[in-house]
Amino acid sequence: MDPSLTKSHIPPEPPDKHNQMDVEPVQPTHSYKEMLLDKPESHQSDYYEDDSRPSSDLDKGKHIEGPIPLSHDDKKRLYLPWRYSVIIKVFKRKMSHHFFRSKLIELLKPSEQLISIDLGWDFYIVEFSLEENMVKVLHLGPWFISGNFLSVRKWKPKFVPQEATLTSTAIWIRLSQLPTEFYYKDILEKVGRKLGKLLKN
């Protein structure tokens, strides 16, 4: 028997064995949650700037460097649908959007369809098309859902929940055991103004 037939076939070495190959190190992957938690503080107002030029004067179809320019007409079109909206923050309890909306409808009994959006950080935006519903929510409180206080403010442009601060809120004050002789409107107004800005007595 031919000895060459019994030898195992050894493949030749690759021609680039001694050549060094530059391989980029694989970057560690992060979950979406980790990327959100590690994101730097955002400032939504930096995303666009005011541009008083008519939209026809802007360079349409061209690459825009830096902030996105918005004309007065652009802003008017963007802000108009939200002019009667309010922003509500729920205190001391996290609740699902569905639960919040259903309880809010029971509480406010609006004269139109209630549209709500979960903004995160326990903030919700409630959109109304009728001014009367906005006024009702702003002035006929205080409002509570399942014993949890709702802070209500009028909608404003460029609202960022993560950066929002609560500087003031409307509350009811109960004057327990106040002598009956002090129950005059002007006296109660003086007491209210002593505590803060009086809205209603």
Side-chain angles (χ1 to χ4, degrees), residues 84 111-112 130-137:
Y84 298 139
S111 59
E112 60 177 306
L130 299 176
E131 185 178 10
E132 63 186 52
N133 287 314
M134 179 193 71
V135 172
K136 178 181 178 180
V137 177

Side-chain angles (χ1 to χ4, degrees), residues 33-201:
K33 178 180 179 181
E34 290 174 334
M35 289 188 292
L36 288 178
L37 292 177
D38 295 338
K39 68 179 181 179
E41 183 178 357
S42 64
H43 296 278
Q44 189 169 342
S45 58
D46 296 339
Y47 297 158
Y48 53 87
E49 61 184 7
D50 187 21
D51 196 321
S52 57
R53 293 178 297 166
S55 58
S56 58
D57 295 339
L58 299 177
D59 297 329
K60 296 182 178 179
K62 294 185 178 180
H63 179 70
I64 301 174
E65 295 289 346
I68 301 172
L70 294 180
S71 67
H72 176 73
D73 291 338
D74 289 333
K75 288 188 174 185
K76 185 177 180 181
R77 185 175 66 255
L78 291 172
Y79 299 162
L80 186 63
W82 305 98
R83 66 191 184 281
Y84 298 139
S85 300
V86 296
I87 296 174
I88 299 178
K89 179 175 177 62
V90 184
F91 280 89
K92 294 187 178 180
R93 179 181 176 183
K94 293 186 178 296
M95 55 185 68
S96 68
H97 185 198
H98 176 75
F99 179 81
F100 168 81
R101 185 177 181 277
S102 61
K103 290 297 183 181
L104 199 63
I105 292 174
E106 294 178 11
L107 184 66
L108 303 180
K109 298 178 175 57
S111 59
E112 60 177 306
Q113 182 182 4
L114 188 147
I115 300 174
S116 63
I117 302 172
D118 187 348
L119 300 177
W121 298 80
D122 302 322
F123 282 97
Y124 297 86
I125 183 169
V126 179
E127 180 185 0
F128 297 115
S129 59
L130 299 176
E131 185 178 10
E132 63 186 52
N133 287 314
M134 179 193 71
V135 172
K136 178 181 178 180
V137 177
L138 289 175
H139 299 291
L140 296 186
W143 307 105
F144 296 86
I145 292 181
S146 300
N148 300 103
F149 177 66
L150 305 181
S151 172
V152 184
R153 67 178 77 183
K154 188 175 181 180
W155 174 86
K156 65 176 183 179
K158 307 177 191 176
F159 177 80
V160 181
Q162 186 176 355
E163 301 173 7
T165 57
L166 184 65
T167 57
S168 63
T169 187
I171 60 173
W172 283 101
I173 298 293
R174 176 177 294 174
L175 304 174
S176 59
Q177 301 184 28
L178 181 70
T180 54
E181 62 267 25
F182 289 97
Y183 277 79
Y184 286 93
K185 183 178 180 180
D186 57 336
I187 300 299
L188 294 176
E189 288 178 349
K190 289 181 180 180
V191 175
R193 287 195 295 270
K194 183 69 174 179
L195 298 173
K197 182 180 179 181
L198 182 63
L199 301 176
K200 184 180 180 182
N201 64 5

